[in-house]
Amino acid sequence: MKIDMNKLVALVKGTKGLLTDKQAVSQVTVKGVSDYVTQVDFRVQEYLREQLHKEWPRIQFMGEEKDNSEIDFNADIWILDPVDGTTNLIHDFRNSAVSLGLCSRGEMVCGVIYQPFSDEVFTAVKGEGAFLNGEPIHVSRAETMADSLISIGTTPYEHEYADRNFEIFKKVFLDCQDIRRIGSAAIELAYVACGRLDAFFEMNLKPWDYAAGLLLIEEAGGTVTGFQGEKPVPWEKGSIVGSNGPIGQLLVDQYIN
């Protein structure tokens, strides 16, 4: 299915006022350990669900803050994270994003990641490259850990993985230039796509965390795999390594396993 990307970007950018509504941000519900949802999450999701249905009524909708049990994964699906980085949003840390991707017959075919605080829009269409505010982007050329800046995800909702995670983080930290923890997988994947980071990895991401970023990185010349080097299934939970290619291979071969 051909999507008018200008129209899609305009819809996503229309969420800016919702994302910067401090009163709505302050209305917080606890879902689990370190897992929060605000009124912003619900309002952004409902706004985009309605607008996407108006423009493309035949495409299914999968969102973080809804029951997705009715989804037919053999058909076209919007995959939305209305606020990736809710904890950041609550603390006014200004690293939160809307992540929206379209999956068609098992493959990501377009994606948008919008960072409203920096007004950066990352976009990709399968076979057409990746872009930041309309300008082409590419992954970095780093080939060694010593040349790499690597971002980590701490799997914050599942503290039982802390020992394993931080053992890996220490090994990576000792061999790379430095590590980062932004707190939004969507932003971190977008930063890999544009070469600001050489790799990002995190255990047990939900599909809406990484679906759009997966396509961005691939269209920017990089790779996204699971922790065993396998190809991710974009509508399933997975442990994800997004990278420029060589650094991801090093992480899978020498650090993560």
Side-chain angles (χ1 to χ4, degrees), residues 135-150:
E135 297 296 323
I137 55 175
H138 304 281
V139 295
S140 75
R141 296 181 179 179
E143 295 185 354
T144 68
M145 293 294 287
D147 291 330
S148 299
L149 181 65
I150 296 176

Side-chain angles (χ1 to χ4, degrees), residues 59-84:
I59 301 179
Q60 302 171 97
F61 181 83
M62 181 182 190
E64 179 176 10
E65 309 304 338
K66 69 181 281 288
D67 177 5
N68 297 298
S69 58
E70 83 289 355
I71 299 290
D72 176 5
F73 295 108
N74 295 311
D76 295 341
I77 315 159
W78 292 114
I79 302 177
L80 173 71
D81 193 337
V83 181
D84 188 60

Side-chain angles (χ1 to χ4, degrees), residues 28-146:
V28 180
T29 300
V30 178
K31 296 197 292 184
V33 176
S34 301
D35 190 5
Y36 308 99
V37 62
T38 72
Q39 282 302 306
V40 174
D41 298 73
F42 292 118
R43 291 175 186 178
V44 169
Q45 179 165 293
E46 186 58 19
Y47 164 79
L48 285 173
R49 187 195 65 77
E50 290 180 355
Q51 296 302 316
L52 292 168
H53 183 72
K54 285 180 184 177
E55 295 293 341
W56 299 282
R58 296 184 179 180
I59 301 179
Q60 302 171 97
F61 181 83
M62 181 182 190
E64 179 176 10
E65 309 304 338
K66 69 181 281 288
D67 177 5
N68 297 298
S69 58
E70 83 289 355
I71 299 290
D72 176 5
F73 295 108
N74 295 311
D76 295 341
I77 315 159
W78 292 114
I79 302 177
L80 173 71
D81 193 337
V83 181
D84 188 60
T86 298
T87 302
N88 287 348
L89 191 70
I90 292 168
H91 289 272
D92 197 26
F93 191 61
R94 301 194 168 226
N95 280 288
S96 304
V98 179
S99 178
L100 177 66
L102 177 60
C103 184
S104 180
R105 299 179 183 180
E107 288 192 318
M108 298 306 301
V109 295
C110 76
V112 179
I113 294 175
Y114 175 47
Q115 215 287 36
F117 301 102
S118 62
D119 210 33
E120 291 184 317
V121 184
F122 298 84
T123 59
V125 174
K126 188 172 179 61
E128 297 183 14
F131 301 85
L132 167 54
N133 290 345
E135 297 296 323
I137 55 175
H138 304 281
V139 295
S140 75
R141 296 181 179 179
E143 295 185 354
T144 68
M145 293 294 287

Side-chain angles (χ1 to χ4, degrees), residues 150-198:
I150 296 176
S151 199
I152 60 172
T154 56
T155 323
Y157 311 148
E158 297 169 284
H159 285 183
E160 61 268 29
Y161 295 110
D163 288 344
R164 181 187 173 192
N165 270 329
F166 281 86
E167 181 181 353
I168 295 170
F169 300 158
K170 181 180 179 180
K171 290 193 297 183
V172 171
F173 170 70
L174 290 174
D175 286 355
C176 71
Q177 287 186 346
D178 205 349
I179 59 175
R180 295 289 181 266
R181 166 65 171 148
I182 296 172
S184 164
I187 291 175
E188 286 158 307
L189 292 167
Y191 282 8
V192 171
C194 70
R196 295 175 185 170
L197 295 169
D198 303 293

